[in-house]
Amino acid sequence: GISFIFPVPTKFTPPLSKSQDLPISFPDGSTPVINRIYIFAGSTRWEGAIPPLIDSFEQREIVIEMGKGITIVKHNLTKPIYFKITPEETLLDFGYPQQISYRENNANLQIHQSSENEFCEDYLWNYFRSSFTLHFSPTTPNHSLKKITLHTNFPSHYTFHRYHRTPIFILHKGTQIDCLGRWDDIKRILGNSDGPPVVYDQSMQNNDIRASTGGGVIGGGSTLYYGYSNLGIIFE
């Protein structure tokens, strides 16, 4: 019910690839260093059950459960990411993110944000191959998840080609909305948003955008954000 991960440096991979055994030492005299421990719980306390690795979820779909979070689906395998999940639980299910960014909350970037938390620094876990960013906050219990950003890899967007394109769907009252839907189609299904969109000029906050997106190329023009506070979702 326990696994230890000892990574092999890339420069030593070719000479060691023919062996299935963990080397006691590397050619330069250094020794393997453990960097991750997994503990698994099965149906009994003595039975270990290894969950599917995130790599097995390539070519997957993401289903948005409004008010709860998202579920990653591939065939009969599912992995939920619900709000209030902790960083430790995320590491167990999805492994270490491809990038961690830190950003001080900026009033120009916040929608439906209480003023008492506007100066707290969030940290963002970017999973580029999985098309999502997880926002954790030190103001939540156990640093739990407070927001999920899903990236559709849309051409001309400032994060284009940084995240893999993954089919994203919203199921709402028996109707399906996908990431290729037009805004008029979304409004017809969900109704009107809370009001006029929030207009965000990307050129005014380049540093904050680079922090939240992992350093994508900044494009020109403005972005419109439409919010549905009753559903807990924002469309860009």
Side-chain angles (χ1 to χ4, degrees):
I2 188 169
S3 297
F4 301 92
I5 306 299
F6 294 87
V8 177
T10 305
K11 62 181 178 179
F12 298 135
T13 301
L16 299 174
S17 59
K18 296 181 180 180
S19 175
Q20 297 296 321
D21 299 324
L22 181 68
I24 298 177
S25 63
F26 297 124
D28 65 351
S30 61
T31 56
V33 177
I34 188 172
N35 77 338
R36 193 175 301 171
I37 300 175
Y38 291 100
I39 300 175
F40 308 105
S43 57
T44 68
R45 80 181 290 179
W46 306 115
E47 177 186 352
I50 301 178
L53 298 177
I54 186 62
D55 289 342
S56 67
F57 279 76
E58 296 295 337
Q59 303 299 321
R60 54 198 172 276
E61 298 177 350
I62 296 178
V63 178
I64 299 175
E65 300 181 52
M66 289 185 287
K68 296 178 62 177
I70 63 175
T71 298
I72 298 177
V73 181
K74 180 183 179 182
H75 303 308
N76 61 336
L77 300 176
T78 61
K79 282 283 187 180
I81 305 178
Y82 291 154
F83 298 115
K84 298 184 179 181
I85 190 175
T86 65
E88 291 80 6
E89 293 171 314
T90 305
L91 284 173
L92 177 62
D93 286 337
F94 297 97
Y96 202 74
Q98 280 80 60
Q99 184 186 64
I100 297 179
S101 304
Y102 298 88
R103 181 185 65 183
E104 181 178 340
N105 286 338
N106 186 299
N108 293 327
L109 294 176
Q110 301 304 312
I111 301 178
H112 310 305
Q113 171 72 30
S114 60
S115 59
E116 62 182 4
N117 294 331
E118 68 175 326
F119 295 110
C120 295
E121 185 180 71
D122 293 344
Y123 51 99
L124 292 71
W125 287 12
N126 288 301
Y127 290 86
F128 299 117
R129 294 192 298 270
S130 302
S131 309
F132 58 77
T133 299
L134 305 180
H135 300 244
F136 296 97
S137 173
T139 65
T140 56
N142 301 316
H143 288 226
S144 57
L145 179 67
K146 77 169 190 178
K147 183 166 65 175
I148 303 171
T149 301
L150 301 175
H151 305 271
T152 60
N153 197 35
F154 190 78
S156 79
H157 194 269
Y158 55 82
T159 61
F160 177 62
H161 203 52
R162 192 161 185 82
Y163 293 85
H164 288 195
R165 167 165 270 187
T166 298
I168 300 172
F169 301 96
I170 303 175
L171 298 180
H172 181 70
K173 296 181 179 180
T175 303
Q176 179 175 287
I177 306 172
D178 64 35
C179 59
L180 299 179
R182 299 177 62 85
W183 179 237
D184 289 341
D185 299 329
I186 295 175
K187 286 197 300 181
R188 187 172 60 253
I189 297 171
L190 299 182
N192 292 326
S193 58
D194 292 346
V198 173
V199 182
Y200 177 62
D201 187 346
Q202 300 168 8
S203 63
M204 294 176 60
Q205 299 292 339
N206 286 357
N207 290 336
D208 288 314
I209 296 174
R210 289 193 179 95
S212 64
T213 63
V217 177
I218 304 300
S222 300
T223 297
L224 305 181
Y225 293 88
Y226 294 87
Y228 289 83
S229 55
N230 61 321
L231 301 175
I233 192 168
I234 296 171
F235 292 91
E236 176 183 354

